[in-house]
Amino acid sequence: MRDALGREINYMRLSITDRCNLRCCYCMPTEGVTPIVHDDILRYEELLRIAQAAAALGIDRFKVTGGEPLVRRGVADFIRALKALHGVRQVTLTTNGLLLPSMLDALLAAGMDAVNISLDTLDNAQYQAVTRSAHTADEVLHAVRLCAGRLPTKINAVLLPETASQLIPLSHLAQELPVDVRFIEQMPIGTGKTASAEAATSVLGRLRAVWPDLAPVEERRGNGPARYFAAGQLKGRIGLIQAVSHAFCTDCNRVRLTSTGFLKPCLCYDEGTDLKPLLRGGADDAALAAAMKQAISQKPAAHCFAQRQNITEHKSMNQIGG
Ligand code: SAM
Ligand code: SF4
């Protein structure tokens, strides 16, 4: 469907849990995190009902996210059911990758179309500091290697001052493997409001010192706002997501559903529609679709990351899904 500004909305991020086995510094606090109570999290049948209504409105691609989606039991079956809905063309997953090796075969058999794996550094000590965990970057790299060549795979790295030295080592993964490596500006949401960020402005110059022929490519490689670059030596692409320094809202095609059933038209604002009372109050499909249509049609024109005082979203990113 089109929103009030004529933007085609065809992509929904579905957060299936707020829980996570990491505590990334830009996403959620280390302590004092109260997980959402089990009953408030939508059941898979409820998520599927919303997805079906969304598909009927023209939303045909879904990203399963979290928290960490792979910590919720039954994800592969959920993906299978999502893919089987009428009108659904693509189901992808975003994950920190730690549980992926043991689940990859089941996820592929369920029809998962592509995967994004979050990895900010290849340095194990840095990884532990950024994710505030005892896990290692090597574990994630193992998952990346298992996925590369089996399904479209993207690595997402948030640009942080402390991992600036990782720009080239991470980019080399796109030379070694058929994977895209994307650098994302940290957004002022959740703990990202206070963590120090690095702008993407110097990234291209540093990459061109290694790959002088790095040039923009026009082809579409996903559903998001990344700008992609190719070079002769690279098997994959390098992507830049300038969420803060380069607003891409005029082309925004997405809405988000939190794990509690709150439909969010824009990351920046706390506005949207709580679909859970409708689902649990016996609303029929037409009423559900009407509520979703209304929320989507009111999608704001643009985010306000440059004017932080206007940000009204106070949830942390693990509760939104990124
Ligand atoms: N746990 C999964 C993962 O890490 O991929 C899925 C959920 S996570 C919230 C989704 C994405 O949001 C990750 O790629 C993560 O790096 C990104 N993210 C979280 N907080 C962010 C922030 N403040 N700014 C930019 N990206 C952020
Ligand atoms: Fe967990 Fe993903 Fe947030 Fe890291 S970014 S804390 S892996 S939800």
Side-chain angles (χ1 to χ4, degrees), residues 66-93:
E68 172 48 43
L70 299 186
V71 303
R72 182 164 176 182
R73 260 184 302 171
V75 194
D77 288 341
F78 173 61
I79 287 179
R80 180 176 289 105
L82 201 48
K83 283 259 352 210
L85 294 179
H86 182 69
V88 173
R89 273 205 318 144
Q90 187 193 62
V91 177
T92 59
L93 176 81

Side-chain angles (χ1 to χ4, degrees), residues 111-193:
M112 175 173 75
D113 291 296
V115 67
N116 289 3
I117 301 176
S118 300
L119 179 61
D120 303 327
T121 173
L122 295 175
D123 179 289
N124 285 326
Q126 246 177 29
Y127 184 84
Q128 293 180 343
V130 169
T131 63
R132 300 181 293 199
S133 78
H135 288 286
T136 62
D138 292 344
E139 293 172 69
V140 185
L141 197 51
H142 173 58
V144 170
R145 290 187 194 285
L146 287 179
C147 291
R150 288 187 78 189
L151 79 169
T153 302
K154 298 190 177 96
I155 295 172
N156 283 343
V158 176
L159 289 162
L160 302 167
E162 61 268 39
T163 57
S165 65
Q166 292 293 309
L167 180 73
I168 303 303
L170 282 168
S171 301
H172 264 288
L173 290 175
Q175 178 162 317
E176 183 201 329
L177 301 166
V179 300
D180 293 347
V181 178
R182 312 179 327 154
F183 296 97
I184 304 173
E185 284 181 345
Q186 179 182 276
M187 292 176 265
I189 295 286
T191 47
K193 278 186 186 153

Side-chain angles (χ1 to χ4, degrees), residues 43-314:
R43 297 188 296 275
Y44 282 136
E45 310 85 83
E46 293 173 321
L47 286 162
L48 288 168
R49 211 175 143 215
I50 291 176
Q52 183 63 88
L57 292 175
I59 293 174
D60 59 5
R61 51 210 84 173
F62 293 85
K63 172 83 75 197
V64 177
T65 177
E68 172 48 43
L70 299 186
V71 303
R72 182 164 176 182
R73 260 184 302 171
V75 194
D77 288 341
F78 173 61
I79 287 179
R80 180 176 289 105
L82 201 48
K83 283 259 352 210
L85 294 179
H86 182 69
V88 173
R89 273 205 318 144
Q90 187 193 62
V91 177
T92 59
L93 176 81
T94 181
T95 170
N96 60 34
L98 294 170
L99 297 170
L100 199 48
S102 62
M103 297 173 73
L104 183 59
D105 288 345
L107 292 164
L108 286 170
M112 175 173 75
D113 291 296
V115 67
N116 289 3
I117 301 176
S118 300
L119 179 61
D120 303 327
T121 173
L122 295 175
D123 179 289
N124 285 326
Q126 246 177 29
Y127 184 84
Q128 293 180 343
V130 169
T131 63
R132 300 181 293 199
S133 78
H135 288 286
T136 62
D138 292 344
E139 293 172 69
V140 185
L141 197 51
H142 173 58
V144 170
R145 290 187 194 285
L146 287 179
C147 291
R150 288 187 78 189
L151 79 169
T153 302
K154 298 190 177 96
I155 295 172
N156 283 343
V158 176
L159 289 162
L160 302 167
E162 61 268 39
T163 57
S165 65
Q166 292 293 309
L167 180 73
I168 303 303
L170 282 168
S171 301
H172 264 288
L173 290 175
Q175 178 162 317
E176 183 201 329
L177 301 166
V179 300
D180 293 347
V181 178
R182 312 179 327 154
F183 296 97
I184 304 173
E185 284 181 345
Q186 179 182 276
M187 292 176 265
I189 295 286
T191 47
K193 278 186 186 153
T194 45
S196 49
E198 207 202 18
T201 38
S202 72
V203 165
L204 277 181
R206 285 154 65 204
L207 291 169
R208 285 203 173 109
V210 180
W211 294 282
D213 60 334
L214 195 72
V217 286
E218 292 308 323
E219 92 223 69
R220 199 153 177 93
R221 292 181 76 81
N223 298 307
R227 290 192 296 143
Y228 285 100
F229 299 84
Q233 284 184 293
L234 296 179
K235 294 190 175 106
R237 303 282 187 253
I238 295 182
L240 277 187
I241 303 185
Q242 290 176 268
V244 180
S245 65
H246 182 271
F248 33 60
C249 306
T250 48
D251 295 324
C252 187
N253 61 344
R254 61 187 55 195
V255 290
R256 295 171 167 84
L257 186 79
T258 71
S259 56
T260 63
F262 191 81
L263 182 64
K264 264 180 77 60
C266 180
L267 187 56
C268 209
Y269 308 101
D270 196 17
E271 282 140 39
T273 296
D274 190 359
L275 299 176
K276 184 155 40 106
L278 292 175
L279 284 170
R280 297 191 179 172
D284 63 13
D285 290 348
L288 188 61
M292 292 171 66
K293 221 169 162 177
Q294 167 76 4
I296 295 169
S297 72
Q298 285 172 1
K299 185 174 165 67
H303 69 58
C304 58
F305 290 149
Q307 300 87 34
R308 289 188 182 202
Q309 69 283 3
N310 296 338
I311 300 174
T312 54
E313 180 53 84
H314 299 297

